[in-house]
Amino acid sequence: MKKIFLLLIAAVTIVACKNDDTDFSSYTNGSSSSSSTDPIPEDAIKVISITYNGGSVTVSGDDANYVTINGADVTVTSEIDSLLLILSGTTTDGSLLVNRQKKYGIKLNGVSINNVDGPAINNQGSKYLYLEVAGGTTNTLTDGTTYTEQVYDQKGALFSEGEMYLYGTGTLNVTGNCRHAIACDDFIVIDDNVTLNVKSPSGSGIKVNDGLWINNGTIDINVTADAARGIRCDSIVVINGGNTTIATSGDCVYDSSTMDYSSAACIKCDYPFTMTAGSLTMTSSGDGGKGINCTRDIIFKGGTLVATTTGDNTNGKPKAIKSDTGIIVSGGSFKATVDASWACDNGYEDGSLSDDELAKKRVTVEGSPTTKDIKKKSVTIIF
């Protein structure tokens, strides 16, 4: 049922932190930017400032005791209608945990949080988290290599139970050392001119359950674990703009439950992948690695896509673009290359065709491109 909701999300009105009539669909279709539609105006809501000072924390604006502190571990529990938390300072052993079932905002205002035994930021609210990266600031979130068991979920250095809207004009660096770097049990929208640098030696760079929209920003994702994914989404992935670079270097891992090998991929999604604008550069260097690995259609309408896989095929088949149902190209610049196996594969098979003849059956080109060069190991389509 939730998947059906996602397909209709552009027509659904979703509220922001202050105004219940804010239309969140404008963020998912790329028609609005937070620079002109700020969902958490500081003069209209309750503001609490949290400053990390090594092993301690200073709090201002908390006149109702919403904040509890244990060393540099901060817990915020509040159900007031409007709330903005402003984070700054540095800690090498601290965290932020928010228990809340209403919409709210977090502003990263030059903060560095390393949590040695769990997420740096853990949003346990089921409603929308508006995460602003303040302009002119660099912010760093890092988790430990192991997590202390808790009664609540802990899935990454930056984790949210509810929807997360990530925006701003500053820089956010996130490293996931135990599980994922960024994880969300709902959907994520990335917008504005935020710079996002994501690293993970243990899991996915971004793991999201119910959909990912990239509307703008500069995003760099690097994952190194075997069978790791730069972006892992259980639903749709939509790129409407921005500049995204993803690199994976891990090899295949044998999955005893499926009796097959699972490979690394820059993007792995279970519902359609759509790109309309922006740039997407993907490189996968491990055995059997893939650029995009999608169980539904891959729909490329515009922008610039470059996918390169350089790994061998000892245990898995490296493919730059793989879909189980269809690869449709109708605009922009689309380039896919591999050292082994197939550049593009939509599952079509015909043993009577040569490799180059079969390659042309594995990509659907709509319209009249200026360049169309489709071979087994190299596909270039430019409009």
Side-chain angles (χ1 to χ4, degrees):
M1 194 68 181
K2 209 164 193 179
K3 303 299 184 185
I4 296 173
F5 167 78
L6 280 167
L7 298 177
L8 300 174
I9 194 168
V12 177
T13 298
I14 306 178
V15 293
C17 283
K18 175 59 180 175
N19 301 312
D20 285 345
D21 59 353
T22 300
D23 186 359
F24 200 87
S25 66
S26 62
Y27 300 123
T28 60
N29 65 27
S31 64
S32 177
S33 170
S34 64
S35 60
S36 59
T37 310
D38 190 347
I40 49 172
E42 293 181 29
D43 61 350
I45 60 182
K46 175 64 177 176
V47 178
I48 297 176
S49 296
I50 300 171
T51 303
Y52 293 87
N53 308 293
S56 63
V57 174
T58 301
V59 177
S60 63
D62 179 26
D63 52 6
N65 297 319
Y66 299 130
V67 181
T68 59
I69 301 170
N70 181 12
D73 293 320
V74 178
T75 300
V76 178
T77 304
S78 170
E79 295 300 338
I80 59 173
D81 286 341
S82 299
L83 176 66
L84 171 63
L85 307 175
I86 300 180
L87 309 185
S88 60
T90 300
T91 179
T92 58
D93 186 9
S95 63
L96 173 68
L97 171 66
V98 180
N99 297 307
R100 179 175 173 82
Q101 300 308 314
K102 292 184 178 181
K103 305 164 292 293
Y104 76 103
I106 295 177
K107 182 174 184 177
L108 304 180
N109 194 36
V111 67
S112 177
I113 302 175
N114 176 70
N115 186 5
V116 298
D117 56 7
I121 293 179
N122 189 337
N123 170 43
Q124 283 297 301
S126 60
K127 298 295 184 180
Y128 315 112
L129 166 61
Y130 294 85
L131 184 63
E132 178 185 2
V133 186
T137 70
T138 298
N139 306 269
T140 301
L141 304 176
T142 310
D143 63 1
T145 55
T146 59
Y147 286 0
T148 300
E149 186 175 352
Q150 303 288 353
V151 295
Y152 46 80
D153 284 342
Q154 305 179 103
K155 298 181 181 179
L158 170 58
F159 173 62
S160 178
E161 287 280 359
E163 301 90 339
M164 182 163 60
Y165 174 52
L166 176 59
Y167 71 107
T169 58
T171 298
L172 173 59
N173 304 314
V174 185
T175 300
N177 291 306
C178 180
R179 297 178 184 175
H180 311 299
I182 299 174
C184 180
D185 278 353
D186 216 291
F187 66 79
I188 297 176
V189 177
I190 301 174
D191 205 349
D192 218 351
N193 290 312
V194 67
T195 298
L196 180 61
N197 299 311
V198 178
K199 295 182 180 180
S200 178
S202 57
S204 298
I206 298 176
K207 170 64 174 72
V208 55
N209 286 5
D210 292 342
L212 172 66
W213 284 261
I214 298 175
N215 294 334
N216 208 346
T218 300
I219 303 163
D220 185 271
I221 301 173
N222 190 301
V223 296
T224 57
D226 290 342
R229 285 71 189 259
I231 293 171
R232 176 67 178 99
C233 182
D234 296 341
S235 185
I236 63 176
V237 173
V238 180
I239 298 180
N240 291 316
N243 299 293
T244 302
T245 302
I246 307 173
T248 70
S249 56
D251 291 326
C252 294
V253 171
Y254 185 73
D255 186 341
S256 58
S257 63
T258 62
M259 299 180 67
D260 197 3
Y261 284 91
S262 178
S263 62
C266 295
I267 297 175
K268 177 70 172 73
C269 55
D270 293 338
Y271 275 66
F273 169 91
T274 303
M275 183 169 177
T276 64
S279 69
L280 173 62
T281 303
M282 298 170 289
T283 57
S284 187
S285 59
D287 174 37
K290 295 170 178 63
I292 299 177
N293 186 359
C294 184
T295 58
R296 300 288 182 89
D297 284 354
I298 293 173
I299 305 164
F300 182 76
K301 298 181 178 181
T304 300
L305 182 151
V306 178
T308 306
T309 63
T310 60
D312 58 28
N313 56 358
T314 303
N315 293 312
K317 295 181 179 180
K319 296 171 184 176
I321 306 294
K322 178 184 178 296
S323 164
D324 290 349
T325 57
I327 301 169
I328 302 100
V329 179
S330 61
S333 176
F334 178 98
K335 297 182 179 181
T337 58
V338 295
D339 285 352
S341 193
W342 293 84
C344 292
D345 184 3
N346 64 359
Y348 182 88
E349 296 288 352
D350 188 337
S352 67
L353 299 177
S354 68
D355 283 350
D356 286 345
E357 289 173 331
L358 184 56
K360 292 177 174 61
K361 296 288 187 179
R362 290 187 164 185
V363 181
T364 299
V365 180
E366 297 181 344
S368 302
T370 58
T371 300
K372 185 172 73 171
D373 184 13
I374 302 175
K375 298 183 177 66
K376 177 180 179 179
K377 295 184 179 181
S378 175
V379 174
T380 300
I381 303 168
I382 300 174
F383 285 81

